[in-house]
Amino acid sequence: MQVYPNRFAASLNKGLQPFYLIFGDEPQQKLTAINQVREIALQNGFDERQTLVADAQFDWQKLLEATQTLSLFSSRQYIELELPTGKPGTQGSKILSELSAKSNPDILLVIYGAKIGKDVQNSKWFKSLDKQGVYVPCYPLEGNALQQWLMEQMRTQGLHASSDVTQLLGEYCEGNLLAASQEIEKLCLLYPNGNPTLEQVEQAVVDQSRYNVFQLIDVLLAGDSQKSVKMLYRLESEGIEPNIVMWALTREWQVLRALQASKQLGQPINWNQHRIWKNRQGLYLSALQRLTPLHMQQLQQKLNVMDNALKQSQVLRPYVELCHLCLLFIPMPLKDFALN
């Protein structure tokens, strides 16, 4: 059974399941979900907790031993197994499948790790555990989902913030819910009355937003110049190699050019061919309305210049030039300005 993080607490209150699978790229949601299981487990008599890490050298017999060894002081065993890669291998898959076949009400197993794909979710061991337990996917929040999460976190901690405050927090902590949680805790300490103004929050909160190149591409497709510049600044501060951003921009130009060619020929766009899912198709349609064939030709020339310069290590401030290229995707009138 799949349960999203915002409904996980309610699911736990309905009763514990023998297995919990908590995976995803969002550490704050993952940590919150694990702590929620720990708390409910303790209330239900799971007084002893064992923690195992299934790395490359892990002996899977230790997991079997943990499920079969009860302490003199506790009749119920709570086990956490970190699965960093999300893939237990042949031996691990076999043992996890065995455990699913003989679930014990006095054994509670929580398995957690990074984001997993459909290949893992369709594996025998995962399906067998999921059938008797709960799968919690923890993914980065954006837009309205992020705003709702922030409002709920502030409400839970006694903060009565305006929509402007919530929006500011979202901008400062997007892609970094762990930082958002810390900033909310800070606001609770600074303003115990629970009602800080926008000005007070602006002075107290530090910009800790985090992004990746894929999020940058979506913002460029949406035509948001200000946010794209902010994202580039954050990517540079996190040490992301310029070549990675360059690769993403070049790839996106290729996709847009192919879509534009289909449109010019009067052919329907084959979204599946380009692996563009329904939730992102609107972004591409919006970009195609802004970018003319002439814009795409000029952008191609600039991309080629930048690609050659990077390969020859001739770019002194690569992120300045990358900003130039990104704004051409909007597009902004920079075609007559040289990259250097």
Side-chain angles (χ1 to χ4, degrees):
M1 179 175 65
Q2 180 170 293
V3 177
Y4 290 106
N6 61 333
R7 299 182 181 275
F8 187 51
S11 172
L12 285 172
N13 290 330
K14 294 178 181 178
L16 280 171
Q17 304 300 319
F19 306 107
Y20 287 93
L21 305 161
I22 305 173
F23 290 92
D25 286 339
E26 212 308 299
Q28 178 60 40
Q29 291 187 96
K30 194 158 48 179
L31 179 61
T32 299
I34 292 171
N35 284 335
Q36 288 171 336
V37 180
R38 288 174 180 173
E39 183 178 347
I40 296 296
L42 190 59
Q43 294 174 8
N44 283 269
F46 291 89
D47 301 319
E48 184 171 326
R49 185 176 87 212
Q50 291 194 53
T51 302
L52 304 171
V53 180
D55 54 20
Q57 290 75 40
F58 181 63
D59 181 1
W60 283 92
Q61 290 299 319
K62 291 183 178 180
L63 177 60
L64 280 180
E65 293 171 2
T67 63
Q68 297 168 359
T69 305
L70 294 178
S71 167
L72 294 174
F73 306 100
S74 176
S75 60
R76 313 193 86 183
Q77 187 76 277
Y78 173 66
I79 303 169
E80 287 181 3
L81 174 68
E82 181 179 0
L83 196 59
T85 65
K87 297 181 179 181
T90 303
Q91 184 186 15
S93 299
K94 181 180 178 181
I95 288 178
L96 290 174
S97 296
E98 290 177 4
L99 291 176
S100 69
K102 49 183 179 181
S103 62
N104 185 335
D106 294 325
I107 301 294
L108 176 58
L109 176 61
V110 175
I111 305 175
Y112 64 95
K115 180 182 178 180
I116 55 175
K118 289 295 183 183
D119 56 334
V120 174
Q121 296 177 48
N122 291 328
S123 62
K124 181 180 177 181
W125 71 268
F126 189 94
K127 284 185 173 181
S128 58
L129 292 175
D130 183 36
K131 188 175 181 180
Q132 301 183 61
V134 174
Y135 167 45
V136 186
C138 302
Y139 51 89
L141 300 179
E142 299 176 351
N144 290 334
L146 174 60
Q147 297 294 313
Q148 291 174 4
W149 184 88
L150 290 169
M151 290 174 62
E152 177 62 23
Q153 294 300 307
M154 288 189 286
R155 185 191 62 79
T156 301
Q157 299 197 42
L159 283 177
H160 306 286
S162 65
S163 58
D164 289 340
V165 167
T166 307
Q167 184 175 352
L168 179 68
L169 274 177
E171 292 175 357
Y172 275 27
C173 302
E174 187 173 7
N176 194 352
L177 294 190
L178 184 60
S181 181
Q182 293 171 344
E183 293 295 346
I184 291 172
E185 291 178 3
K186 182 202 297 183
L187 291 174
C188 289
L189 293 173
L190 292 174
Y191 306 105
N193 64 350
N195 193 24
T197 65
L198 177 62
E199 291 73 19
Q200 290 172 326
V201 174
E202 284 179 329
Q203 293 176 0
V205 175
V206 178
D207 190 345
Q208 301 187 63
S209 53
R210 297 182 65 183
Y211 305 103
N212 57 49
V213 291
F214 302 106
Q215 291 170 308
L216 171 65
I217 292 301
D218 282 355
V219 170
L220 292 179
L221 292 173
D224 191 334
S225 58
Q226 288 189 336
K227 192 167 185 179
S228 66
V229 173
K230 176 185 177 180
M231 283 186 165
L232 280 170
Y233 173 77
R234 299 302 297 177
L235 290 172
E236 182 181 23
S237 66
E238 291 171 20
I240 302 300
E241 285 293 328
N243 285 319
I244 295 176
V245 181
M246 187 63 197
W247 165 84
L249 295 179
T250 303
R251 178 187 177 279
E252 217 54 37
W253 180 90
Q254 294 169 344
V255 173
L256 285 167
R257 185 67 192 93
L259 297 179
Q260 195 175 68
S262 297
K263 188 177 178 182
Q264 287 176 309
L265 293 172
Q267 300 173 347
I269 295 176
N270 188 340
W271 298 107
N272 291 333
Q273 178 185 349
H274 300 287
R275 297 182 179 274
I276 301 174
W277 314 131
K278 190 172 183 179
N279 63 325
R280 300 183 69 237
Q281 290 172 11
L283 292 173
Y284 283 92
L285 291 174
S286 174
L288 289 173
Q289 289 178 350
R290 302 191 312 269
L291 294 166
T292 66
L294 179 59
H295 280 133
M296 292 297 288
Q297 182 181 356
Q298 294 165 347
L299 183 51
Q300 181 186 25
Q301 294 170 352
K302 297 285 187 179
L303 287 168
N304 288 336
V305 170
M306 182 62 172
D307 185 53
N308 291 330
L310 282 175
K311 289 177 180 177
Q312 298 172 24
S313 301
Q314 294 179 348
V315 186
L316 295 177
R317 301 180 62 189
Y319 267 87
V320 174
E321 278 81 356
L322 287 172
C323 183
H324 186 144
L325 290 172
C326 285
L327 293 177
L328 287 172
F329 273 89
I330 301 302
M332 297 186 75
L334 302 174
K335 62 182 178 61
D336 294 328
F337 289 87
L339 285 177
N340 56 0

